[in-house]
Structures are given as C-alpha cells and as structure tokens.
Amino acid sequence: MLEMDKVDKAFGPVEVLRGFDLHLHYGEKVVIIGPSGSGKSTVLRCINRLEPIQGGTISFEGETLTARTNLCSLRAKIGMVFQRFNLFPHKTALENIIEAPLIVKKMARGDAEAIAGRLLEQVGLSDKRDSYPRELSGGQQQRVAIARALAMSPKIMLFDEPTSALDPELVGEVLQVMKELAADGMTMVVVTHEMGFAREVADRVIFMDQGTIVEEGPPQAIFEAPAHERTKSFLRRIR
Ligand code: ADP
Ligand code: MG
C-alpha cells in the first residue's frame, strides 16, 4: 500500500530523515516510537505530502508521488489525527465531521449527515452531535477528530501521538476507538508511547532515532529483547 524508499528530508541545513524506508501492507498496523525530535511526525507529514522531500521516493497504492500528484485526492485517502485535536471551534461535532465530505467530496448534506451520525455512534458520541468542542472533554474531542478523519473513507489512518495531550483518565477511551478501528481492518501508522496499545495492536514496532530506523520487529521482540543499546535506554526512560 505504501512504500517510502530512502527518503531524505531536511529543513534547510538540518537533516531530519536520512534514507528512511517504510513499506506497509494493506491492513497492517505499525507503531513508531522514538525520542522527541527523532523525526516521527515528519515521517507522517511526508506520507501525505504536508512536507516535500529532498531525496528518495514515496509511493501510495502503486503510484509514485511527484510534484504533479493531485494532493487533494491523495489526502482524501489518508486520514490524519494529531496530538492537538484541531477541531473547528465554532462548529459542532456534527459540523466538524461533515465539513470535508461537503466541501471536498461535494456530498449532499443529507448523505454527509447520515455518515456522520454513524461515525458518532462508532466513537460513542451520538449524544454529542450538536456540542461544540469547548463543551467536550479532550478525549471526546479527539474521538470527534477521529470520526472527522474517517468521514472521508480513508484507506489509511495516521495518528501522531493522539493521546499525549490528554489527561490520563481520558486516554483509554481514545485507544479503545483506535483498537476497534484496527480490528475492523484499517491500515494504521501510529506514533505513540502507549506500550499496551502497541503490544495489543501493532503488527510491527519501529524504533527510530535521529531520522533513521534503529530497529523494528514484532512488539514482543522490540519490548522484551531489543537488540540495540539506544532502544534499551529509550525503553528504560519511558517505562
Ligand atoms: P518527533 O515527532 O519525533 O518529535 P519531528 O518530526 O517533529 O520529531 O522533528 C524532527 C526534527 O525536525 C526536529 O529536530 C525538529 O526540530 C525539526 N523540525 C520539524 N519540523 C520543522 C520545521 N517545520 N522547520 C524546521 N525544523 C523542523
Ligand atoms: Mg512529533
């Protein structure tokens, strides 16, 4: 589904990704871990072309991304959820969810609302459809953000530390929605330090440091028997 080959990404003189490789199959769930500043968010941003790359190639569903790639149709297939929920503050939960289907897909309002209703049910927020973000807890806002991303029927979902900004007691409800999505077969790349989630959901865990993959493997292998000292010391610090 997705192939990143030898991707180089720099901000001016600062090299952030160096020869980064990531191949992803349909339905696969990958969790990326690594220290702050190691390039995790940049990987996600390169996938949907929020960042241009300086070297290497990225292909999505067999099509190599170039300057001529239609970004709008590419991004419609790639759902993204951020640490800060980034909901439109002046729109209700329902209005947040129908925005992209209405504007980007030119969907009829009734159809978009029907889809939004089902998605609100899926994330457990049917009773909050007319609430504004300020009336919702952080966990509820993040669940609306997930529903909003799903409203475009993406092929893949990218999550960038989706629970890092939440109070601890709200983390579980967001992870639960993500677990259900995984069980439904969604292809997912998740940057998170939630090791329980990684163990339960990830087919593969990637530990990256300074813009490269230090090691990767099944969660069991990475967590129980990391091969590299950098992985061991990182895991010691976050546990
Ligand atoms: P992580 O998500 O692992 O914490 P990031 O991908 O956000 O790491 O950042 C990797 C490196 O790239 C950091 O050194 C960061 O300062 C730098 N960086 C990220 N975005 C920008 C930007 N827009 N301009 C300049 N430097 C950036
Ligand atoms: Mg980040």
Side-chain angles (χ1 to χ4, degrees):
M1 172 180 246
L2 173 73
E3 294 188 12
M4 300 177 78
D5 283 306
K6 299 192 171 56
V7 169
D8 297 318
K9 168 71 201 170
F11 292 104
V14 184
E15 292 182 358
V16 175
L17 299 180
R18 298 187 184 91
F20 189 88
D21 292 315
L22 173 65
H23 290 201
L24 205 64
H25 298 288
Y26 283 92
E28 201 177 1
K29 293 99 178 78
V30 168
V31 165
I32 302 180
I33 59 174
S36 178
S38 58
K40 305 180 298 296
S41 297
T42 303
V43 168
L44 298 187
R45 293 167 58 79
C46 287
I47 293 174
N48 64 3
R49 257 338 200 228
L50 287 172
E51 297 290 353
I53 58 175
Q54 280 78 42
T57 55
I58 302 178
S59 313
F60 185 70
E61 299 202 293
E63 211 175 301
T64 302
L65 309 186
T66 68
R68 285 188 301 278
T69 300
N70 181 333
L71 291 181
C72 216
S73 67
L74 174 73
R75 288 176 190 155
K77 295 178 202 157
I78 302 177
M80 190 149 181
V81 175
F82 304 89
Q83 182 173 344
R84 298 265 159 213
F85 334 116
N86 298 335
L87 296 176
F88 302 114
H90 56 290
K91 289 181 185 290
T92 63
L94 183 92
E95 289 164 350
N96 266 279
I97 296 169
I98 64 175
E99 175 83 2
L102 288 184
I103 305 291
V104 181
K105 285 201 169 167
K106 317 266 184 247
M107 201 180 275
R109 177 169 284 269
D111 295 340
E113 288 189 0
I115 291 170
R118 283 199 292 280
L119 288 168
L120 281 166
E121 194 179 327
Q122 183 179 335
V123 301
L125 293 173
S126 293
D127 55 334
K128 301 292 183 192
R129 58 174 275 158
D130 299 319
S131 300
Y132 288 89
R134 64 172 178 277
E135 300 168 326
L136 300 173
S137 72
Q140 290 169 335
Q141 288 183 57
Q142 191 62 302
R143 286 187 280 151
V144 172
I146 293 171
R148 181 177 62 174
L150 291 173
M152 292 294 280
S153 307
K155 299 284 190 68
I156 181 172
M157 286 284 285
L158 311 177
F159 292 87
D160 193 358
E161 304 205 34
T163 60
S164 302
L166 298 176
D167 292 334
E169 74 272 21
L170 303 177
V171 169
E173 65 193 54
V174 173
L175 294 180
Q176 183 57 35
V177 167
M178 292 167 64
K179 286 176 195 173
E180 286 164 11
L181 200 55
D184 281 347
M186 180 61 79
T187 309
M188 296 164 67
V189 182
V190 184
V191 175
T192 185
H193 294 153
E194 292 292 333
M195 297 302 144
F197 175 85
R199 268 173 207 278
E200 197 177 326
V201 172
D203 299 305
R204 190 152 48 111
V205 173
I206 291 175
F207 171 68
M208 64 183 292
D209 193 15
Q210 297 178 4
T212 58
I213 294 177
V214 176
E215 64 181 301
E216 60 182 306
Q220 197 79 2
I222 298 293
F223 295 140
E224 306 305 336
H228 290 263
E229 189 48 47
R230 275 194 280 173
T231 319
K232 288 178 195 167
S233 78
F234 174 75
L235 290 172
R236 272 198 301 273
R237 274 181 279 133
I238 62 165
R239 267 171 183 156

